[in-house]
Amino acid sequence: MANSGWSYEASPFHAGELAIQARLGVQERLDRQGRRMIRDYLPEQHRQFFAQLSYVLVGTVDSHGQPWASILVGQPGFITSPDERRLHLAAPPLYGDPLHRTLAVGADIGLLGIELHTRRRNRLNGTLSALQPDGFTVTVGQSFGNCPQYIQARRFDWRAFDAAAPKPVRFFEALEEGERAIVAAADTFFIATAHRSAGSASGVDVSHRGGKPGFVRMDDARRFTIPDFAGNFHFNTFGNLELNPRAGLVFIDFDRGDLLYLTGTAKVIWDGPEIAAYEGAERLLRFSVSHGYRVSGSLPLTWSAPEFSPFLDNTGPWKLKG
């Protein structure tokens, strides 16, 4: 297949994304850009990239309409592409991961293929078209690359691991000290969102967010605020939130291998003096936790210390009050 872009008359962006692009005066430019770079199939470069990965982020929605962000792990080659319109992922969900409850044929799904050590990432939104004993297959709806901004470079290695062994799981509705420490120290997390079509969740997306340690400000035990920096103006995440305020987050404790899964609602703060309190932020995202859980020692990977993104040089810490 020729490496063509978006071939449909309708925009590659949905109503929520278009509304934000119009509000910020970038819709016409983004329409041209989106038609060049967004495709309804996997270019050969993307097929090869997914095939070399050892982990991929996954966004799904549960039976209550709540998005969840997950991470799926396997040896390189666990993701294959039978053809340019399908990806097969041959790995079981990690112990306690939301994917144990959310994978279903016909469900919308979002994938983020990311290599932290090279800062490469590719997005795929599609439909779960088949469940097999070794995994599941996704049919491509949209496929596109992302820039390397705000990604902290980390190398990984495998550690001794029994995937079938139970891990400690703590369910909560408010973050306690251990969970708050993970959030407060984070320089990376992933967010899943979904827009609504005909009253149901659809068009699931999962996205990366990065910043200096402490860029996620804990407001209280159930709410925190995150700065949003200049990006590609697609507004995939914020466009979904424009139509549906529900969101799911996953934080990785890179030292312990713990995974912190959260779901709740998110609100975008577009203007006001609060934004100026964080150097480099263009807007803020305020997340309210409905519930979540922490799985201890869940991730079978060990990580190097981060090499912080040079794009963070012009961002700063929260200004202290008083």
Side-chain angles (χ1 to χ4, degrees), residues 26-311:
V26 297
Q27 188 184 88
E28 184 177 344
R29 172 168 66 86
L30 265 291
D31 183 75
R32 294 193 301 269
Q33 178 180 307
R35 290 178 186 278
R36 288 196 306 270
M37 66 179 296
I38 299 174
R39 305 170 177 88
D40 65 349
Y41 64 92
L42 286 162
E44 185 60 31
Q45 182 185 42
H46 291 194
R47 297 174 72 186
Q48 293 174 2
F49 177 69
F50 277 104
Q52 72 192 37
L53 296 177
S54 293
Y55 52 90
V56 63
L57 280 300
V58 184
T60 53
V61 175
D62 67 19
S63 59
H64 301 288
Q66 286 295 144
W68 292 91
S70 301
I71 183 169
L72 198 62
V73 180
Q75 293 289 343
F78 85 98
I79 304 176
T80 56
S81 178
D83 56 58
E84 59 207 359
R85 298 191 183 273
R86 291 183 297 164
L87 272 187
H88 179 67
L89 296 90
L94 295 172
Y95 186 87
D97 192 281
L99 291 174
H100 286 285
R101 305 185 307 278
T102 59
L103 293 177
V105 173
D108 290 293
I109 191 168
L111 301 178
L112 174 65
I114 188 167
E115 278 186 340
L116 294 180
H117 65 283
T118 65
R119 298 192 171 104
R120 288 184 64 190
R121 54 178 165 170
N122 287 325
R123 301 271 275 275
L124 187 154
N125 305 326
T127 304
L128 199 155
S129 52
L131 282 170
Q132 296 98 351
D134 69 334
F136 58 93
T137 298
V138 175
T139 297
V140 178
Q142 292 187 338
S143 173
F144 53 100
N146 270 165
C147 62
Q149 293 183 96
Y150 315 118
I151 297 176
Q152 306 354 312
R154 280 181 166 92
R155 297 192 174 275
F156 73 93
D157 202 354
W158 291 87
R159 64 180 175 90
F161 187 76
D162 181 357
K167 313 293 188 301
V169 179
R170 195 184 92 79
F171 176 87
F172 53 82
E173 294 182 347
L175 280 69
E176 294 189 358
E177 183 178 357
E179 293 79 39
R180 295 181 70 165
I182 292 174
V183 172
D187 58 55
T188 299
F189 72 91
F190 302 91
I191 178 169
T193 54
H195 68 270
R196 289 182 178 272
S197 175
S200 62
S202 62
V204 182
D205 177 84
V206 61
S207 178
H208 163 276
R209 289 293 188 272
K212 293 178 179 177
F215 83 114
V216 181
R217 185 187 70 188
M218 293 294 309
D219 299 320
D220 56 46
R222 297 188 65 170
R223 191 178 70 163
F224 43 84
T225 302
I226 306 139
D228 188 70
F229 308 119
N232 59 13
F233 292 99
H234 284 197
F235 293 109
N236 304 121
T237 295
F238 286 5
N240 285 344
L241 293 175
E242 185 85 354
L243 305 178
N244 175 17
R246 298 181 179 187
L249 279 60
V250 63
F251 288 84
I252 299 172
D253 184 330
F254 290 101
D255 295 325
R256 297 176 179 270
D258 295 2
L259 291 173
L260 180 63
Y261 303 97
L262 305 172
T263 195
T265 58
K267 176 184 178 181
V268 182
I269 300 171
W270 292 100
D271 49 42
E274 190 176 4
I275 299 172
Y278 199 98
E279 183 181 356
E282 297 198 341
R283 58 202 67 85
L284 302 176
L285 182 67
R286 179 153 292 143
F287 181 75
S288 298
V289 177
S290 166
H291 58 280
Y293 50 98
R294 176 184 177 184
V295 185
S296 299
S298 174
L299 197 61
L301 305 172
T302 60
W303 303 85
S304 67
E307 178 185 334
F308 290 102
S309 169
F311 289 95

